[in-house]
Amino acid sequence: MESTVNINEINQQRANPTKRFANWKFITGSIIVGLAVIAAGSYYQATHFNSNIKINSVKVNGLSAEQALNKLKTTELKNVVYIGNQQIIDGEDTKMAFTDKDLADVKKLLKSQWTFLPSSKAKDYSLMPGNQDQYRNQTLKKQLEEKLLSMNQSLKVPQDAVVRLEQGKIVVSNSIDGEQYDVASLLKDYEKHEYVGEIHLNPVYIQPIKEDSEFVKSQQKKLEEFLAQTVEYKVQDKVFSLNAGELIKNASISKDLHIKIDDAGDIKNKIAEINNSQSTLNKDFSFKTHSGSVISVKGKGYGWAINVDKEIPRIQAAFENGEKSVAASNIYGKGWKGEGYGYDTITNNGIGDTYAEVSIAEQRIWIYKNGQLVVTTNVVTGTQSTGHGTTPGVHYILYKQTPAILTGRENGKITYQTPVQYWAPFTNDGQGFHDASWRSNWGSKAYLAAGSHGCVNTPPSVMKTVYNNLSAYEPVIVY
């Protein structure tokens, strides 16, 4: 239907200007009122929270920033902690730690939630007070830690997959899950939790190291490399190769990939074998006499051996630490302090080229320096008929003294004390080289019935030369 224009009405308005002004005034007033209403609404909207707005689960809808802050300041925290659905701590009720200094942060939230028109959209903002809540950050956290640790004591412990060397083979045991809580992870989750009365933490459990993990694979690889190791064991001038794969049957490996040998039995057997083949202590020495004949002489004071029990930890440590070589160092013998002599001597079947040779049958001595004869003389040794004969064997010079007093003992009693100018003993029971100014019988048969008490009596005229060519710890071969 087409609209029609009322010409008469238009003409009436034109003829009545007062009426036109009144209409205009009414319209203008309505507009002003409407704008005022809008302005008032906009101001309220900008200074008050929308409906369904919360801060830390506290309703602040319709409140100004100041009102919202006051409500937060007076709100109590229940401080209840849950792990999953289980309540494990019911802490003290405390006031939220907000202060007037937090007003700026509340205003920021107010601004962020603003909408031009009122909104009913639900929103729960998280806001931490500027001042730390000592109870929440320290006391309650400590209670949580202690509670979790206490609970763990009665919960099943997880078991890691374990890599071991057993009977020469690398084996891996399966891991077993446990029920103990991962305290460190839960405490971190607690620290991140929003500032609300109820703290709900998701259960986190200590996880065992799995048998298919990269870490277990790295342990296996480390053990494989370990078994391929060789330690060169040096004894005197000889080197013996000790192979881990042959000598080590049982070992464990730590989380920092350090290997510990659990059974060193085969290592001990190997070192004992080397000791038996190389040592000279209590063994017969093959000795070439001044005449060129080769005889066998029993080791007495002179000789050395490896202390196998003391060497094992050193070799074990060499394998465990990846060392390439180790030299024997625990050497013992019949020295006064358990020291062994001759270890550093390689030539002449362990006797070397500097020594004193004593022939009981020939009643004579020969002293060699670096393979060269420097002095020889007739002597008188211990009396055979009385059982005081000089003891055959490979000995060594214990020490040298000039002058000296020789003391004889029988059954614990002193039988004589005789001064001499030179004294070089070679046995612990008092046999040695010395001058004998009192002796008149220097015959080659004197030792049979009129010899010494076991010493090697040397003519005073040559004793100084003999003394000067003897050195402490050098061998004395008596035969």
Side-chain angles (χ1 to χ4, degrees):
M1 179 181 295
E2 294 182 0
S3 62
T4 59
V5 178
N6 191 331
I7 299 301
N8 291 330
E9 185 177 346
I10 293 174
N11 289 333
Q12 288 177 3
Q13 290 178 359
R14 286 176 179 174
N16 192 347
T18 300
K19 186 177 182 179
R20 288 201 312 270
F21 177 76
N23 289 338
W24 174 255
K25 185 177 181 181
F26 172 78
I27 294 170
T28 302
S30 297
I31 293 173
I32 292 173
V33 171
L35 291 174
V37 170
I38 292 172
S42 177
Y43 174 78
Y44 182 88
Q45 190 67 17
T47 57
H48 292 75
F49 286 95
N50 281 323
S51 61
N52 293 324
I53 297 297
K54 296 179 181 179
I55 299 177
N56 297 344
S57 297
V58 176
K59 294 180 179 181
V60 294
N61 52 296
L63 300 180
S64 67
E66 290 78 1
Q67 292 170 331
L69 177 60
N70 286 332
K71 188 171 184 180
L72 291 173
K73 288 162 63 175
T74 57
T75 298
E76 287 190 341
L77 287 173
K78 295 299 182 181
N79 294 313
V80 179
V81 182
Y82 292 84
I83 302 293
N85 294 323
Q86 181 185 5
Q87 177 184 315
I88 64 169
I89 293 179
D90 185 4
E92 297 178 9
D93 292 351
T94 60
K95 292 287 194 301
M96 286 189 176
F98 288 102
T99 66
D100 292 342
K101 295 179 181 180
D102 297 304
L103 181 59
D105 290 331
V106 176
K107 287 182 176 181
K108 288 180 182 179
L109 294 182
L110 177 62
K111 184 177 181 180
S112 68
Q113 62 88 55
W114 177 83
T115 56
F116 183 77
L117 296 176
S119 171
S120 59
K121 184 178 180 180
K123 178 69 177 180
D124 192 349
Y125 290 97
S126 178
L127 181 63
M128 295 297 292
N131 291 337
Q132 286 195 351
D133 186 331
Q134 298 298 319
Y135 178 81
R136 191 68 169 262
N137 292 342
Q138 296 181 18
T139 304
L140 188 61
K141 180 181 176 182
K142 185 64 176 178
Q143 290 177 358
L144 172 61
E145 180 181 16
E146 292 174 350
K147 180 65 175 181
L148 290 171
L149 291 173
S150 175
M151 293 172 66
N152 274 351
Q153 292 180 3
S154 60
L155 296 174
K156 181 180 177 182
V157 180
Q159 296 182 26
D160 296 333
V162 177
V163 183
R164 294 184 56 82
L165 179 67
E166 295 181 0
Q167 299 303 314
K169 295 182 179 181
I170 299 173
V171 296
V172 181
S173 64
N174 292 331
S175 63
I176 300 176
D177 291 335
E179 299 171 342
Q180 290 187 332
Y181 290 108
D182 186 337
V183 177
S185 295
L186 286 170
L187 289 177
K188 286 183 179 179
D189 188 15
Y190 172 88
E191 292 171 356
K192 298 175 183 177
H193 209 273
E194 296 179 346
Y195 199 52
V196 293
E198 291 188 356
I199 301 173
H200 291 268
L201 303 176
N202 292 323
V204 181
Y205 301 99
I206 299 174
Q207 295 300 310
I209 298 174
K210 301 294 185 179
E211 49 272 21
D212 59 350
S213 67
E214 290 300 319
F215 177 72
V216 166
K217 291 177 182 177
S218 67
Q219 286 185 311
Q220 290 175 288
K221 182 179 179 181
K222 183 71 174 181
L223 274 176
E224 290 169 358
E225 294 171 349
F226 173 78
L227 289 176
Q229 280 189 97
T230 296
V231 172
E232 301 295 332
Y233 184 57
K234 186 176 181 181
V235 180
Q236 292 186 304
D237 61 339
K238 292 183 174 59
V239 176
F240 300 87
S241 293
L242 308 179
N243 185 272
E246 296 175 357
L247 301 178
I248 302 170
K249 304 302 180 185
N250 299 288
S252 57
I253 183 168
S254 65
K255 290 185 178 181
D256 60 358
L257 299 183
H258 180 73
I259 294 172
K260 183 180 183 301
I261 298 171
D262 298 330
D263 180 6
D266 287 345
I267 296 177
K268 183 175 182 178
N269 293 338
K270 183 64 177 180
I271 301 306
E273 176 186 314
I274 294 172
N275 179 51
N276 291 336
S277 67
Q278 298 302 118
S279 65
T280 59
L281 189 65
N282 299 322
K283 292 184 178 179
D284 293 340
F285 285 82
S286 180
F287 176 69
K288 187 176 183 179
T289 70
H290 68 283
S291 65
S293 62
V294 178
I295 62 174
S296 180
V297 186
K298 183 71 175 179
K300 290 293 185 178
Y302 185 80
W304 63 269
I306 299 171
N307 188 320
V308 176
D309 288 336
K310 289 185 177 181
E311 282 292 270
I312 299 310
R314 298 180 64 243
I315 297 169
Q316 185 171 324
F319 276 116
E320 293 173 348
N321 298 329
E323 299 173 18
K324 299 299 182 183
S325 63
V326 60
S329 68
N330 290 290
I331 305 301
Y332 74 99
K334 292 185 177 179
W336 285 348
K337 296 181 179 180
E339 66 273 26
Y341 291 103
Y343 180 78
D344 296 326
T345 303
I346 308 299
T347 59
N348 196 17
N349 299 312
I351 291 175
D353 299 321
T354 298
Y355 55 89
E357 177 182 349
V358 180
S359 172
I360 295 175
E362 297 182 53
Q363 288 293 284
R364 194 167 187 86
I365 66 172
W366 297 262
I367 298 177
Y368 291 85
K369 287 284 187 183
N370 299 318
Q372 299 297 315
L373 179 65
V374 293
V375 61
T376 181
T377 182
N378 63 301
V379 294
V380 175
T381 60
T383 305
Q384 295 282 351
S385 61
T386 61
H388 290 99
T390 303
T391 305
V394 181
H395 309 276
Y396 69 93
I397 299 296
L398 275 63
Y399 61 91
K400 293 170 60 177
Q401 186 177 356
T402 179
I405 296 178
L406 304 182
T407 301
R409 288 182 172 83
E410 291 287 348
N411 299 320
K413 296 182 178 181
I414 296 176
T415 57
Y416 66 86
Q417 286 187 315
T418 305
V420 297
Q421 189 62 38
Y422 302 101
W423 170 232
F426 55 77
T427 71
N428 289 337
D429 60 0
Q431 297 182 12
F433 298 98
H434 64 79
D435 50 295
S437 59
W438 60 88
R439 176 171 290 283
S440 58
N441 182 3
W442 291 95
S444 62
K445 302 297 183 181
Y447 78 100
L448 295 175
S452 70
H453 277 72
C455 289
V456 179
N457 288 178
T458 306
S461 61
V462 73
M463 183 60 207
K464 181 178 180 180
T465 302
V466 170
Y467 183 86
N468 289 339
N469 283 283
L470 294 173
S471 297
Y473 314 130
E474 290 180 352
V476 176
I477 301 93
V478 180
Y479 60 91

